[in-house]
Amino acid sequence: MADLTTNFLGISSPNPFWLASAPPTDKEYNVRRAFEAGWGGVVWKTLGSEGPPVVNVNGPRYGAIYGADRRLLGLNNIELITDRDLYTNLEEIKRVKADYPDRALIVSIMVPCEEEAWKAILPLVEDTGADGIELNFGCPHGMSERGMGAAVGQVPEYIEMVTRWCKQYYSKPVIVKLTPNITDVRKPAAAAKRGGADAVSLINTINSITSVNLDSMSPEPSIDGKGTHGGYCGPAVKPIAMSMVSEIARNSETQGFPISGIGGVTTWRDAAEFITLGCGNVQVCTAAMTYGFKIVQEMISGLSDWMDSKGHTSIDDFLGAAVPNTTDWQYLNLNYVAKAKIDQDACISCGRCYAACEDTSHQAIAMSPDRVFTVIDEECVACNLCVDVCPVEDCISMEQLAPGTVDPRTGKTVQDAYANWTTHPNNPGAVAAE
Ligand SMILES: Cc1cc2nc3c(=O)[nH]c(=O)nc-3n(C[C@H](O)[C@H](O)[C@H](O)COP(=O)(O)O)c2cc1C
């Protein structure tokens, strides 16, 4: 039976599923219910400095992008950090941690980029007994205009400086949460490491406007006729998050640096994918907001079943397993040749593959008068567009041509296009061997 326990930064939790800092972790009531449902840990909704809490809008604060079946694919929000009193939050954190010693409880913090502000809040957080802190350098709206959140996360020097203060005034693990609203995510990650951070977490939300109301001419969500950009999250952002995670995982400056993966995790499979890219655990927000806390039970059973089926007994067994296979384009094997193949029994003759290939790709699918679709191997470059647009799963597949066969498109014997991959200069293994 697979063991899902994780020991991220020495913080033990019964499974790798943590709730990300957001409304699900905004208060004691929520977090207790989350722990009862089975979440391994939570990052408490971001706390701000002592004083009057921030004030949120009193109108819609979310916008959504849907799939054709109205399944929520992307969520946009213009919410700020916690709008509850600092001391109320701290007392609740202390109580919850005392009652759930086996779960991870991390406190997210965002205060002004001044040493005194961090020096003031860190001992208060330390006193709660929470397991660590996460520095919110990511929120793209509302707080960044006040010189916090993404405004800090976009300047590596600030990240390094604030992280140093935190390591100076706080004794437990410090996680730096990164913004994706930046060109090269490797730079803030490396800065966090230089500042002494114990880990990075990513991604926070992506700048976004989800829709414009064409009657009022206002971006949505609209507050009294005006809208603003918000932060995008949910299944739609997972590919962006995974790419950024992989950049950090394979960058020589941050290789092996602990990562907590965030962005669109909805199923056990999403979590497994983040873990293979080097994440010691994952954090979830939109999936919990869409389906409720009990979704974690499916994540736990799904991951456990998959691990059993693969013979993985612990999370460490496959942590980072896909990192060595994530490479730059130039290292891809150009000797590899595939062709599309259509399963005629599964085909529903919709013609999407034909339309896509004929109009926009390589004219490699033929349509007979009675709507039978077949691949023209002489034209097919195996681009995968037909697979991507086909509405029937597994109806079209890409099949590799065996070495030694002739590619009808090029007339060359497969593995002949580049004389021999094992010695080709594009092959990093070959270069290393020389
Ligand atoms: C309504 C809402 C509020 C959020 N508030 C915070 C916050 O206070 N602090 C923070 O670090 N991230 C905040 N986030 C970002 C999430 O923690 C997370 O990074 C992001 O939603 C991506 O994960 P997901 O795709 O699972 O939602 C918020 C997200 C949403 C949707």
Side-chain angles (χ1 to χ4, degrees), residues 47-94:
L47 307 184
S49 295
E50 194 175 357
V54 299
V55 179
N56 271 300
V57 294
N58 290 300
R61 59 179 80 166
Y62 304 130
I65 295 289
Y66 299 104
D69 57 358
R70 208 178 145 85
R71 193 172 296 201
L72 190 140
L73 299 181
L75 185 69
N76 173 58
N77 86 89
I78 56 169
E79 184 178 288
L80 305 176
I81 61 172
T82 185
D83 53 13
R84 302 168 71 239
D85 172 65
L86 174 64
Y87 289 95
T88 307
N89 273 304
L90 292 169
E91 280 162 25
E92 291 183 1
I93 291 166
K94 194 173 194 167

Side-chain angles (χ1 to χ4, degrees), residues 20-23 45-46 62 75 77 79-82 108 134 136 139 177 203-205 233-235 237 262-265 283-287 289:
S21 175
K45 171 82 181 169
T46 305
Y62 304 130
L75 185 69
N77 86 89
E79 184 178 288
L80 305 176
I81 61 172
T82 185
S108 170
E134 186 180 77
N136 178 353
C139 274
K177 185 169 181 179
I203 57 174
N204 208 311
T205 54
C233 52
V237 310
I262 318 171
V265 175
Q283 298 183 29
V284 177
C285 167
T286 304
M289 290 179 72

Side-chain angles (χ1 to χ4, degrees), residues 12-34:
S12 151
S13 69
N15 61 60
F17 303 108
W18 291 9
L19 281 170
S21 175
T25 64
D26 190 30
K27 53 171 107 64
E28 179 173 1
Y29 176 80
N30 291 11
V31 175
R32 282 185 185 276
R33 293 187 69 241

Side-chain angles (χ1 to χ4, degrees), residues 206-403:
I206 302 173
N207 284 338
S208 62
I209 289 180
T210 38
S211 56
V212 175
N213 185 314
L214 293 179
D215 295 320
S216 65
M217 291 295 165
S218 165
E220 293 171 317
S222 178
I223 306 293
D224 197 21
K226 297 265 189 281
T228 185
H229 76 270
Y232 201 45
C233 52
V237 310
K238 179 188 148 202
I240 299 164
M242 292 214 300
S243 170
M244 291 190 160
V245 160
S246 78
E247 289 292 295
I248 295 170
R250 66 195 191 92
N251 179 23
S252 58
E253 271 183 275
T254 45
Q255 231 165 20
F257 194 44
I259 304 174
S260 179
I262 318 171
V265 175
T266 312
T267 65
W268 68 266
R269 173 181 283 273
D270 299 329
E273 289 174 11
F274 270 96
I275 293 168
T276 65
L277 288 172
C279 297
N281 67 12
V282 292
Q283 298 183 29
V284 177
C285 167
T286 304
M289 290 179 72
T290 312
Y291 302 109
F293 286 147
K294 286 192 176 158
I295 194 172
V296 73
Q297 290 163 10
E298 284 179 30
M299 294 179 181
I300 291 169
S301 57
L303 185 62
S304 175
D305 286 352
W306 173 76
M307 286 171 63
D308 285 346
S309 75
K310 293 284 179 192
H312 297 313
T313 53
S314 74
I315 298 288
D316 280 348
D317 276 2
F318 60 102
L319 173 59
V323 176
N325 294 329
T326 312
T327 186
D328 293 337
W329 193 97
Q330 78 222 49
Y331 300 128
L332 299 179
N333 184 355
L334 299 184
N335 281 330
Y336 179 92
V337 181
K339 300 287 171 193
K341 191 155 192 285
I342 301 174
D343 177 347
Q344 297 299 343
D345 293 333
C347 178
I348 57 170
S349 297
C350 69
R352 275 201 205 166
C353 59
Y354 173 79
C357 189
E358 188 67 16
D359 290 356
T360 70
S361 290
H362 295 84
Q363 297 75 48
I365 294 181
M367 176 172 69
S368 71
D370 55 346
R371 294 183 71 81
V372 173
F373 298 92
T374 44
V375 176
I376 306 164
D377 284 351
E378 288 76 6
E379 305 297 338
C380 179
V381 300
C383 71
N384 217 48
L385 183 63
C386 54
V387 174
D388 295 334
V389 300
C390 177
V392 181
E393 199 175 347
D394 296 332
C395 174
I396 310 180
S397 53
M398 287 294 152
E399 295 199 349
Q400 184 182 6
L401 293 192

